[in-house]
Amino acid sequence: MESAVGFENLSCHFGEIRAVGNVSFEVKKGEFFAMLGPSGSGKSTCLRLIAGFQKPTSGRIKILGEDVALIPPYRRKVNIVFQDYALFPHMNVSENVAYGLLIKGVSKPDRVKAVDQALDMVRLSGYGRRKPNQLSGGQRQRVALARALVNKPEILLLDEPLGALDLKLREQMQEELKDLHRELGITFILVTHDQGEAMSMADRVAVFSEGKIAQLGTPENLYKYPQSPFIASFVGSSNVLSPEFVDFLTGRKRWASLRSEAISLVGATDESAQVTGTILSNIYLGSSYRITVDAQGQRLRVLIPAGCLLPVEGETVGLSWSGSDFHLMEDELT
Amino acid sequence: MQSSAKTGASIGLKFSVLAGLLFLHLPVLLIFLYAFTTEEKSYQFPPPGLTFKWLAVTWGRQDVWEALGLSLKVASIAAIIGVLLGALCAAAISRSRFFGREVISLLVILPIALPGIVTGIALRSAFSLAEIPFSFWTIILGHATFCVVVVYNNAIARFRRTHGSLIEASMDLGANSFQTLRYVILPNIATALVAGGMLAFALSFDEVIVTTFTSGQQTTLPIWMLEELVRPRQRPVTNVVAMVVVLVTFLPILGAYYLIREDESDRNTR
Amino acid sequence: MLALPVLWLGVVYVGSLLALLVQSFFSIDEFTGVIQYEFTLKTYLELLRPSNLDIIIRTVTMATVVTVAAVVIAFPIAYYATRYARGKWKAFFYIAVMMPLWSSYLVKVYAWKLILAKEGIINWIFIKMHLTSVLEFLLAVPVIGGNSLSVSYIGTCLVFLYVWLPFMILPIQAALERVPSNVIEASYDLGATPRQTFFRVIFPLAMPGVIAGSIFTFSLTLGDYIIPQIVGSSRLFLGQAVYLHQGTAGNIPLAAAFSVVPIFIMGCYLWLAKRAGAFDAI
């Protein structure tokens, strides 16, 4: 598959501070790629590097196979949806969406047609004459999307596009974005700090930490086989098992992860129990209970379906799991 | 607006900025040169020679001292009135949502939006209609109108930043109105008021347009200078007085700047 | 608590303005010079006399020229201070604009009297650069020229421009500070060059600042009577007309009618600016 964006040994410093340190990765054409990480992890800087708002300190960026070091933002074939939308406050919705076409010198009738289409696509037909400050957050988000997509970019960059929306709207927009990606078939690059968003929408996810990529893979891969305690705790609801505890279980002093739903509770003396522990708390989550167990000083969270027999606090129970769910991390002690 | 992709300012922009700044500053600097010229009859450049003689001559001039004294007195009193009324006005307008609030906030802006001569002639005709004779206090009355505006503008910005909840918190913790004013409101707006007062002082010390309409026979320093400008009699003395005026207004302006700046940085670290 | 300042501003200021407005509807008996306290529009009609109309047109033209020139000089300074100046330089720019704004008006005018005088620095520079002919050519231009710079409209305009320039820089700078950086980036991202971005995004968004600044420069020029008296030809400006009529001529009604002119012009200007949508982006 062709490459849409490629980073080669890229570093970016702001004075003394290193925002991105020696990062290499490739985004494939037509892929929905997510850059996930806590704030300050360098993911937004990477997006700004692709858009051209930031210049790398060293290394190379290729867009569609072409080195873009000397190409200013306004000549790059990418468009971005900004975190707070960055709509032009002095233009109405139509003018905002038409801006890119106007700059390119597209004739007025063609512009009107394209703008209508774009607004239609984001279900905002009839809103053309409104000013940005007359729209709700979700509507602004759609305008920003239409304004970028009307230019038919090869690559669409999304900088925390759903961050400012409330939960319900966010879930709805996630589906719409996913549908749009399927329809258009272009490359989407999403920056987010919300692991649920990245995991549910993206084909592949790069998890950033301290200016580096901690792990890159499909959501399933990240979820099941985290390579470090950081990934395990950031990406999912996995239990991160300390080297001491893993040593006690297996005799190997390494970090490991174990998903909450892969653990089942058995009797303390049951022979399938790999370890015993004391129940600390149980919390009702609707469809399931989250039970916290203390085993040999290691806290474990266990998810069991509602309706099962519920242990009480202080009770001693056995914990059991299948060997394939127990994942030893590649990282040696960090 | 930080973005490392921008490639610095173009030569053209830098040049026009430099030219603009020179245009703003060189003329006043020239005053300092002329204060020491030996030339008495004309504005010859370059000065044929330099001397300290005119400093001494000006020092001995009774009329200059009187004008300076009057100006300092007027500016101090007008600034104090400005601080008191401007602060009250700002407090009232920022806190309450009473009927006519918009009208009042427009009212306070009028004296700067309208040309000074309108204020001046309006006051003068009001005095003559009310048969108030011109005096020290009519000058103060004229100056206070714009001093209030200056202080108001400084204070209102601060009030908007001080949250209403701060006052509610103080009340909730048992402070009465006076204690809230003393311990919560004043510490929060004090620097804005002092800065506003300094600017008001500088403005009043220098005011000439409104003063000509409200001063009658009295001579403030700007009026003295205006007479010299229209009918030059003692050019060297005027040069020295002009230099002194620059120096006297320089300090409060710089002081006000540092006071305003300090809270800006306060606000950023908050 | 509110009563005191409101009373002060309300009674003293608005009272005076109203008194002025009322006076403009009185007239003066041309033979006796006594004010007749009867409602009439006669005084306003007098404004339309060719000589008075000339004064108004001359002043408005000057105010327009000064305002346009102030925008041209102020914008680069404000733009640079916002977009490029950082840290210490930012403080420097702030002081560099604040100082001339607050420093003495009369001293500034006086400085220009020194500069523009026939024996002054400008002439000296032109002589040293062997460009005297350029200056003479400039002064020979009808209307704006004159015997020397200090008695020409060029001189008057320069002084106005100098004295009001900070009033233009500060509002533009304030408006530019409020332009979010991501809006500028959005424009680049959508393919606009820096030049296109400036004219389509930055300048329109700075427009409220330009309007605010022009309200100052326009209004201040309309009302000033000192600068044209000290530097310029003997032809009158609006402020001087007001001053003369209320003073030596003792024609308070006409002076009042004259001072209603700038109020009226400013009102029209604000209304037009609002209609043109200059404040929409705020």
Side-chain angles (χ1 to χ4, degrees), chain A residues 143-162:
Chain A
V143 176
L145 202 58
R147 185 177 70 175
L149 288 174
V150 80
N151 302 292
K152 307 223 179 311
E154 304 264 4
I155 299 158
L156 182 72
L157 308 177
L158 300 141
D159 187 4
E160 303 265 6
L162 311 178

Side-chain angles (χ1 to χ4, degrees), chain B:
Chain B
M1 281 189 147
Q2 188 81 44
S3 160
S4 56
K6 71 183 174 214
T7 47
S10 70
I11 297 291
L13 178 62
K14 280 185 181 159
F15 178 78
S16 41
V17 170
L18 186 68
L21 287 181
L22 289 179
F23 176 66
L24 268 179
H25 290 275
L26 284 186
V28 168
L29 291 180
L30 205 65
I31 297 268
F32 284 79
L33 179 64
Y34 272 91
F36 301 101
T37 182
T38 49
E39 171 64 42
E40 290 177 41
K41 299 280 174 249
S42 75
Y43 299 124
Q44 191 191 338
F45 187 91
L50 298 175
T51 170
F52 285 103
K53 176 179 141 200
W54 300 111
L55 295 184
V57 171
T58 311
W59 187 266
R61 285 280 294 263
Q62 196 54 38
D63 56 337
V64 173
W65 280 112
E66 276 167 15
L68 179 68
L70 180 64
S71 276
L72 287 174
K73 224 159 54 181
V74 168
S76 313
I77 297 177
I80 290 169
I81 294 177
V83 167
L84 289 176
L85 296 189
L88 286 178
C89 229
I93 289 193
S94 67
R95 287 281 164 263
S96 40
R97 308 217 152 263
F98 55 88
F99 175 73
R101 180 173 174 270
E102 297 300 317
V103 179
I104 289 171
S105 57
L106 176 74
L107 248 182
V108 188
I109 300 307
L110 266 185
I112 27 175
L114 289 181
I117 193 167
V118 174
T119 307
I121 191 171
L123 286 171
R124 186 186 187 109
S125 55
F127 291 152
S128 72
L129 279 185
E131 293 181 357
I132 301 170
F134 294 118
S135 70
F136 175 70
W137 293 103
T138 53
I139 304 180
I140 297 274
L141 205 64
H143 284 205
T145 52
F146 58 81
C147 285
V148 170
V149 177
V150 171
V151 178
Y152 168 83
N153 280 332
N154 257 287
I156 192 86
R158 180 67 55 82
F159 269 124
R160 292 214 173 108
R161 275 189 256 136
T162 316
H163 285 289
S165 56
L166 223 61
I167 288 160
E168 282 162 11
S170 163
M171 300 282 202
D172 178 66
L173 295 168
N176 60 30
S177 306
F178 175 77
Q179 288 166 320
T180 304
L181 179 76
R182 165 76 185 78
Y183 294 110
V184 177
I185 301 177
L186 271 185
N188 262 298
I189 63 163
T191 48
L193 289 186
V194 175
M198 283 174 163
L199 292 179
F201 178 90
L203 208 62
S204 163
F205 183 77
D206 174 48
E207 215 292 328
V208 65
I209 292 191
V210 175
T211 320
T212 27
F213 288 97
T214 55
S215 68
Q217 295 305 310
Q218 311 206 49
T219 307
T220 61
L221 201 61
I223 299 262
W224 184 92
M225 268 200 74
L226 181 62
E227 279 166 13
E228 285 294 322
L229 271 172
V230 179
R231 276 177 293 280
R233 283 167 303 193
Q234 286 254 2
R235 290 174 201 234
V237 175
T238 315
N239 291 337
V240 173
V241 170
M243 183 177 75
V244 170
V245 170
V246 171
L247 292 175
V248 169
T249 45
F250 183 80
L251 286 178
I253 298 165
L254 209 63
Y257 166 73
Y258 276 106
L259 282 175
I260 295 170
R261 243 178 81 75
E262 250 167 52
D263 357 296
E264 301 268 304
S265 50
D266 266 12
R267 185 165 49 116
N268 291 341
T269 52
R270 206 170 284 157

Side-chain angles (χ1 to χ4, degrees), chain C residues 26-266:
Chain C
F26 298 152
S27 64
I28 196 161
D29 190 301
E30 279 174 39
F31 299 105
T32 56
V34 176
I35 297 173
Q36 297 179 317
Y37 296 98
E38 266 171 45
F39 178 82
T40 170
L41 290 174
K42 209 175 112 199
T43 315
Y44 280 100
L45 280 178
E46 235 178 284
L47 287 182
L48 299 177
R49 269 198 213 159
S51 60
N52 288 342
L53 211 54
D54 267 0
I55 294 175
I56 296 172
I57 292 169
R58 181 179 304 133
T59 313
V60 172
T61 311
M62 178 61 82
T64 312
V65 172
V66 168
T67 301
V68 171
V71 174
V72 170
I73 299 181
F75 210 100
I77 297 178
Y79 186 69
Y80 190 91
T82 341
R83 289 275 288 160
Y84 298 103
R86 291 277 165 271
K88 270 192 179 157
W89 280 103
K90 194 139 200 146
F92 166 81
F93 268 92
Y94 193 75
I95 294 187
V97 179
M98 280 296 278
M99 286 314 301
L101 172 69
W102 291 100
S103 63
S104 171
Y105 163 85
L106 274 180
V107 168
K108 285 187 275 193
V109 179
Y110 184 62
W112 278 89
K113 202 173 163 96
L114 304 178
I115 292 168
L116 296 174
K118 239 191 168 114
E119 66 277 14
I121 185 167
I122 287 208
N123 263 304
W124 179 77
I125 290 172
F126 273 98
I127 291 168
K128 286 285 163 194
M129 291 172 74
H130 304 286
L131 290 171
T132 345
S133 52
V134 175
L135 189 60
E136 274 163 12
F137 175 77
L138 215 59
L139 288 172
V141 177
V143 185
I144 62 163
N147 254 339
S148 80
L149 277 175
S150 57
V151 295
S152 70
Y153 283 144
I154 302 175
T156 321
C157 184
L158 272 173
V159 182
F160 272 132
L161 180 60
Y162 175 74
V163 175
W164 309 143
L165 187 58
F167 290 91
M168 184 62 89
I169 299 176
L170 285 174
I172 295 181
Q173 193 176 337
L176 283 172
E177 297 274 9
R178 280 198 297 270
V179 177
S181 63
N182 65 6
V183 169
I184 295 166
E185 289 178 351
S187 171
Y188 289 155
D189 181 67
L190 294 166
T193 59
R195 208 186 150 74
Q196 287 169 317
T197 301
F198 180 82
F199 285 108
R200 293 199 179 273
V201 177
I202 298 174
F203 192 75
L205 287 177
M207 213 45 205
V210 174
I211 298 282
S214 64
I215 287 169
F216 285 122
T217 56
F218 215 83
S219 156
L220 289 166
T221 312
L222 286 184
D224 196 278
Y225 66 93
I226 290 178
I227 290 172
Q229 184 186 356
I230 291 168
V231 178
S233 67
S234 53
R235 279 162 292 192
L236 292 183
F237 278 75
L238 205 53
Q240 288 170 289
V242 176
Y243 186 72
L244 287 178
H245 284 295
Q246 67 84 37
T248 43
N251 190 344
I252 300 273
L254 188 57
F258 259 121
S259 53
V260 170
V261 173
I263 301 177
F264 177 75
I265 293 175
M266 289 318 294

Side-chain angles (χ1 to χ4, degrees), chain A residues 27-39:
Chain A
V27 180
K28 298 188 202 103
K29 225 172 177 175
E31 184 176 34
F32 199 137
F33 188 87
M35 300 198 269
L36 173 68
S39 63

